[in-house]
Every structure is written in C-alpha cells, then in structure tokens.
C-alpha cells in the first residue's frame, strides 16, 4: 500500500503564514493535489499539479513540492481559511492506487 | 456548470448489496475519467475507485477490491458503484468526483447496520 503523511493539526493567528506538509515516497515523481473541506461540505480543489491554482482560489494559497514532500502554504491566513486540508496523489506502481493524506485541521484564531 | 448528483444511498444490512448512481451534467461526460471517494463519519477522505473515460481501465482501493465494481454509461451520462458484501466499515458518505478530481458531488450517505 501507499501512504501520504500529514500533520493532524496546524494552528496560526490571522495574518500569519500557515504551512501544511505532505510526505510520500512517490511525490518525487507524481504530482500533489490539495483539497479544502469545510464542515458539512464537499471538498474543493485548491491546488493541482503541485503548484497550480484553479480559478477562483485566492492567491494567498500556494503549493510547492521538493523531493518526497509537498507543501501547501497559506500566506496571511484568514478566519475563512479554517478547514480540513487533504493532499492527494498516486503511487508509481503498475497497478496504481490513489490516496489521500490523513488530513490536517487548520485553525485560525 | 458542472453538476454531479449522487443517489442510491441508504441503510443496508451487513452482507447485502447497494448500487450508487451519479448523474453528470454541464460537461462532456464521455471525455473524463470518474472517481468514487468516501468519507466515514468524522474521518478523512478515502479514494475508492476510478474508471477511465471510456471504461477501458478500472482501479480499486484494496479495501473494496473484489466487492465493489465501478462502471459508467456514457449514453446516460451516469457513473455507478455496485457495492456487494457490505460491511459496517463501509459506512460513509460516498462522493462521485470528476477526473483529477476537480469537481465533486454533494455525496450520498451509506449506512451499513443490522
């Protein structure tokens, strides 16, 4: 099996920078994707292919990847950014699996 | 705009079967791969299965392999998930999601309980 590892929680004050990491062996070869999920809602794609932002996603959300780690950065976090964030990727096997990280609860207070 | 609407969820006894459907609109359904993703109550997201745009390839999570079958009818713009031999641990909200995934439905709740 394949796993992506995220910290369970990150906490920042409004206006600070939040960084959420995601580690996995295949991230050196495969793209990372990031999803934001607010309570009771479906997930929303916020970063694709490591560092691209879909239309409508604020510029303060950005992504990067280096080696086996991907990072979601929220610069100048706002109260409305408080949510669960999940990374997502695939392994590099011939019988591929797609996996989500365990999720990170971002608290902005 | 892209719309994905799941249906077919409900309460089912362990060992029984259920079929979920996902009606797609607002895009060319036959051009995109589709996924099922689930979320158990209070837990994280779990990828379940993916099907290629033309149905030629299908992949499953180990937790459902041999019990669940993903399929699609491109003439009806509909995605399916046939779930057999259901277990209590299959209780979750099941989402259909397009491609990456980039668009998600609102989900349908499946509860496996006696």
């Amino acid at each position: 099996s394949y796993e992506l590892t995220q910290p369970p929680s990150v906490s920042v004050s409004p206006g600070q920078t939040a960084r959420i990491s995601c580690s996995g062996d295949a991230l050196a070869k495969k793209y990372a994707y990031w999803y934001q999920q607010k309570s009771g809602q479906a997930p929303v794609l916020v970063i694709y292919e490591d560092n691209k932002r879909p239309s409508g996603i604020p510029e303060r959300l950005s992504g990067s990847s280096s080696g086996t780690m991907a990072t979601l950065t929220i610069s100048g976090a706002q109260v409305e950014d408080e949510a669960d964030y999940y990374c997502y990727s695939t392994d590099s096997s011939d019988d591929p699996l797609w996996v989500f990280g365990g999720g990170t609860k971002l608290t902005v207070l | 705009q892209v719309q994905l609407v799941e249906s077919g969820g409900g309460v089912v006894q362990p060992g029984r079967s259920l079929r979920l459907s996902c009606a797609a609109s607002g895009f060319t359904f036959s051009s995109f791969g589709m996924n099922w993703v689930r979320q158990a109550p209070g837990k994280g997201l779990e990828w379940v299965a993916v099907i290629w745009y033309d149905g030629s390839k299908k992949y499953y999570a180990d937790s459902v392999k041999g019990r669940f079958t993903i399929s699609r009818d491109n003439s009806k713009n509909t995605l399916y998930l046939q779930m057999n031999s259901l277990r209590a641990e299959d209780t979750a909200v099941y989402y259909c999601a397009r491609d990456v995934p980039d668009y998600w439905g609102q989900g349908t709740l499946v509860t496996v309980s006696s």
Side-chain angles (χ1 to χ4, degrees), chain A residues 1 33 35 37 40-45 48 84 86 88 94-102, chain B residues 35 37 39 43-47 50 52 59-62 65 95 99-102 104-106:
Chain A
S1 64
Y33 299 77
Y35 294 88
Q37 187 180 34
Q41 298 182 18
V44 173
L45 178 68
Y48 66 100
D84 294 322
Y86 296 89
Y88 176 76
D94 293 335
D95 186 14
L97 296 173
W98 283 259
V99 295
F100 287 93
Chain B
N35 296 268
V37 177
Q39 187 169 34
K43 302 296 185 182
L45 300 172
E46 180 186 15
W47 172 79
V50 64
W52 257 223
Y59 298 101
Y60 299 91
D62 289 343
K65 200 173 290 184
Y95 296 100
D99 196 29
V100 170
D102 53 2
W104 300 61
Q106 285 304 303

